[in-house]
Structures are given as structure tokens and as C-alpha cells.
Amino acid sequence: MGSTPVTTPACRPQARWRPPRLSPITARALCRRIQRQRHWQTACSAAGAQQDAAQGGWGTVYRPGKTDITDANFPVDGEGRTYHLGTKRGEVANRILSVGSEKRALMLAEYLEPAVPGQGLFMLESSRGFLTITGRYHGTPLSIIVTHMGMANADFVVRENRAVVEGEMAIVRLGTCGALQPPARLGSFVVADPGAMLIRRNPDAFGLEGEQSDVPPYTFSRPIPSDTALSQALQHEAALLLGPEGVCCGLNATADSFYSSQGRSTAWFDDRNESLLADLLCCYPEAVTLEMETAMLLDLARCSRGSIRAAAGVIALADRTSNDFLGADRTQQLERAAGQACLAALAHTQLDDTWGPHHNGSTPVWLL
């Protein structure tokens, strides 16, 4: 907590722009409006995109229509839109906040500025349900993307955004987790520093041959490092909003499922995970959180040939020792504060992104 953050005072604007907050009623109404729009059938434009007007200053929700796909190795359509997220160059900023739910994304989008004052933010929802919101945070281009849950979705988000963004990238995950042990406690915001490891269920253990040869039902990977400077910036910004006592760091454990690989058991399945959490802490006594996405993000950043910097912070919703769960009102308060910390850490991170995705002559959505 005492380390020097990546930000400098010169990065901060003199006058901080404060957007009007949506009331809970307004936020719920916006969510309902977007849900209703999903059922509307609108005509495709010449560019092949469906457009549904969203009132209240939120702009237009674009829904790309179905078009022919090229390149089975990395599927894109004729516009260069990716297969799952549906975005193309100029629609995703180099700094990305990855969140699990649409409600969380819309809440944090209140803090983004549109490219043109008085107009709405850029919003695109793919046919697979991935929502991308792009604007500016204190003048810095930034995208909020709904990643949903699990490692496969995290893989879609990192790889397909890398394909449509030129220059260096920074990705921060804001998620939720179970707290394994102190310093992580119910309601803590925990930064995955020094990184994350992966818990995998081993299908070979559950067959007859596996039982006869004593194959372990779960395996643990070695730790995967996070970006040190970005993680420190995240801790710094979170401490400003939550207080130093509300923020901690430690090794994250990422599981390939919510139930079996996180030590949850029922009578319906033979999961053989009764000792899983004890085994985890025996192997990694420094592990403090348990969730489902961070290790994938960090691993892809590590393998990105130096082009992606990644960090993650998670809110401890559940105490895996006491089985207590955080209340809904407190959860929303923490999501808002931690989300602002993530946005600030991203905006203050220096990247080699001057070329940008508008190199082909088109204007990116954050400069329209």
C-alpha cells in the first residue's frame, strides 16, 4: 500500500467533471429499456447495423446485423467486426474496464463523457450479449465492456479487443469474489497483486481409469503475474475512495467453475472437492480471493508480446469460512466507488497509443 502509484499530479485535470448520477429508479428504467429493445426487430441500415434510440442522453445502442463471416481462424465480417463482441476499429479505446454485469456497466458509464457534449455515449451490443460503452473519462478515451462470467468470455473480450485496437492496451477487471482469509474480509476491495493462479477440474479423475490410478480431481497452476504499476495505481485510487482499511492485495485464485472448482458441494454431483480449499491454502498460503476470470486476463496479457498491461480488483461479496454474504445496498456502494477507482487508474496510466485505431482515416467514436 505504501508503494508509489503510476499516476502523477500533473495527470489530474484542474477541474474535475462530475456527471449527474442516475437515481436507482432511473438506472433500473434504463436497464428495462435496453432489455425491451432486445426484442424489437428493426431494419438494418446500409452498413448492416440495427439502431435503437435510447432516450435520456444515452445516445444510440447499435446492434450489428448478421453478415457473412470471413476467416474461420479469426472470424470477422466485411466491416471488420469481430464474431462475439461485434466491434470494429475505432469503437474500442486502448483503456478498457471489464465488468461482469450490464447493470454495473451502466452505473459506471455515468462517469464517462460523450465525445460531443449533449450527445450520448457510444453503446454497442452484439448478438452474443456483449455490451461495449465508449466515451472519455476526464478527457481520456476509455471503454467499459460487459464480459459476463467465466474464462471463456474473458478470452473473447481480451482477444477480440486486441484485434480491433492499435497500440498498447491497459485492461482492468472489476469483479466480485469470495474471501478466503485475511487480509481479505467481507466488503474488502482486493487487488490481485502479485497476480493469480488457476484451479482446474480434471475430468480424467472421474472415469474408471482415473479412479484406479488415483488421478487428482483438481490441479493448481503456478502464479501468473499482474502488471505491477497498474496494480499499484489501482490500490492507490481505491484507497482514496474507500480508505486504506477497505483495500488490500494478495494472490487471487481463479477457478474454472463456480461450484466444483471453488469447493462448493451438493449431494447431486460427485465433485470430490471436500478438501479443495484446504489443499489450495496449503499449496498457496498467500491466496486470499476466489473467483472465475482474473487468471485468464493476466495470462493473455502475459502472452500478448508486451502489448497489454492488465490488473484486477474484486469486491469480496462472500466469506468462504463463515458463509456470510454482503448485503445488496453495500454491494452497490462498493461497486460505484471501486469502479471509479478503476476508471481513474486506467485514465492515469500512460500508454503508447498515439497512433490509435483511426489510422486508416476514419474518426474513432471518442472524437466524433
Side-chain angles (χ1 to χ4, degrees):
M1 294 301 299
S3 54
T4 303
V6 73
T7 62
T8 62
C11 297
R12 298 180 183 273
Q14 295 299 313
R16 295 176 68 88
W17 180 80
R18 297 289 185 184
R21 286 190 178 185
L22 290 178
S23 68
I25 294 176
T26 305
R28 287 195 294 269
L30 180 60
C31 288
R32 287 196 296 269
R33 183 185 306 130
I34 291 179
Q35 290 168 357
R36 287 197 300 270
Q37 288 172 353
R38 291 194 179 109
H39 301 290
W40 296 349
Q41 298 296 321
T42 59
C44 293
S45 67
Q50 297 176 345
Q51 300 183 9
D52 297 324
Q55 302 174 1
W58 284 87
T60 300
V61 179
Y62 294 90
R63 292 184 175 81
K66 292 287 187 180
T67 60
D68 291 338
I69 297 295
T70 61
D71 188 1
N73 179 63
F74 197 95
V76 293
D77 68 8
E79 289 187 274
R81 295 190 178 277
T82 55
Y83 188 56
H84 300 94
L85 271 68
T87 49
K88 64 178 182 178
R89 294 179 187 272
E91 295 177 345
V92 182
N94 293 67
R95 294 164 180 83
I96 295 171
L97 175 58
S98 165
V99 299
S101 73
E102 181 180 277
K103 180 180 178 181
R104 191 179 306 155
L106 294 171
M107 176 175 65
L108 297 178
E110 298 174 32
Y111 298 98
L112 297 185
E113 311 153 34
V116 179
Q119 295 188 7
L121 299 170
F122 172 82
M123 301 176 69
L124 181 146
E125 185 183 49
S126 74
S127 62
R128 302 301 181 103
F130 290 95
L131 177 65
T132 298
I133 306 172
T134 298
R136 302 174 74 90
Y137 184 78
H138 300 321
T140 300
L142 198 148
S143 294
I144 301 173
I145 297 178
V146 179
T147 306
H148 302 298
M149 295 179 291
M151 294 191 297
N153 283 334
D155 185 67
F156 292 149
V157 168
V158 176
R159 292 181 186 272
E160 294 192 5
N161 281 311
R162 176 65 282 179
V164 299
V165 174
E166 295 291 341
E168 191 178 15
M169 298 174 66
I171 305 176
V172 168
R173 160 170 156 72
L174 171 63
T176 57
C177 71
L180 293 173
Q181 61 178 350
R185 296 179 174 85
L186 203 64
S188 296
F189 181 66
V190 190
V191 177
D193 184 15
M197 52 78 62
L198 176 61
I199 307 169
R200 288 171 288 201
R201 180 183 172 104
N202 184 2
D204 292 340
F206 295 88
L208 180 59
E209 293 181 0
E211 293 177 351
Q212 292 175 344
S213 56
D214 198 27
V215 175
Y218 299 92
T219 61
F220 300 149
S221 78
R222 292 185 175 90
I224 306 162
S226 59
D227 184 271
T228 301
L230 187 54
S231 296
Q232 291 176 356
L234 186 54
Q235 293 174 58
H236 172 76
E237 297 292 344
L240 294 177
L241 293 169
L242 296 170
E245 68 283 354
V247 182
C248 63
C249 62
L251 182 68
N252 170 280
T254 298
D256 62 3
S257 75
F258 181 79
Y259 290 101
S260 67
S261 298
Q262 293 192 37
R264 293 181 169 93
S265 60
T266 67
W268 297 309
F269 296 95
D270 171 22
D271 287 319
R272 305 179 201 174
N273 60 359
E274 294 79 7
S275 66
L276 179 60
L277 296 187
D279 294 342
L280 170 64
L281 293 177
C282 180
C283 185
Y284 289 110
E286 67 274 31
V288 294
T289 56
L290 184 59
E291 44 98 288
M292 294 191 295
E293 293 84 18
T294 296
M296 175 61 78
L297 167 61
L298 301 185
D299 183 46
L300 290 175
R302 176 176 63 177
C303 298
S304 69
R305 306 182 191 278
S307 67
I308 300 175
R309 301 172 61 184
V314 288
I315 300 166
L317 295 187
D319 187 312
R320 293 306 307 276
T321 301
S322 67
N323 281 335
D324 291 332
F325 215 91
L326 199 65
D329 290 343
R330 180 56 178 160
T331 298
Q332 185 168 339
Q333 293 172 357
L334 290 171
E335 286 178 332
R336 185 177 290 278
Q340 291 178 74
C342 293
L343 293 171
L346 282 165
H348 298 154
T349 298
Q350 300 299 311
L351 297 177
D352 180 13
D353 60 345
T354 54
W355 189 31
H358 49 288
H359 69 283
N360 59 358
S362 62
T363 304
V365 297
W366 56 86
L367 289 177
L368 294 176

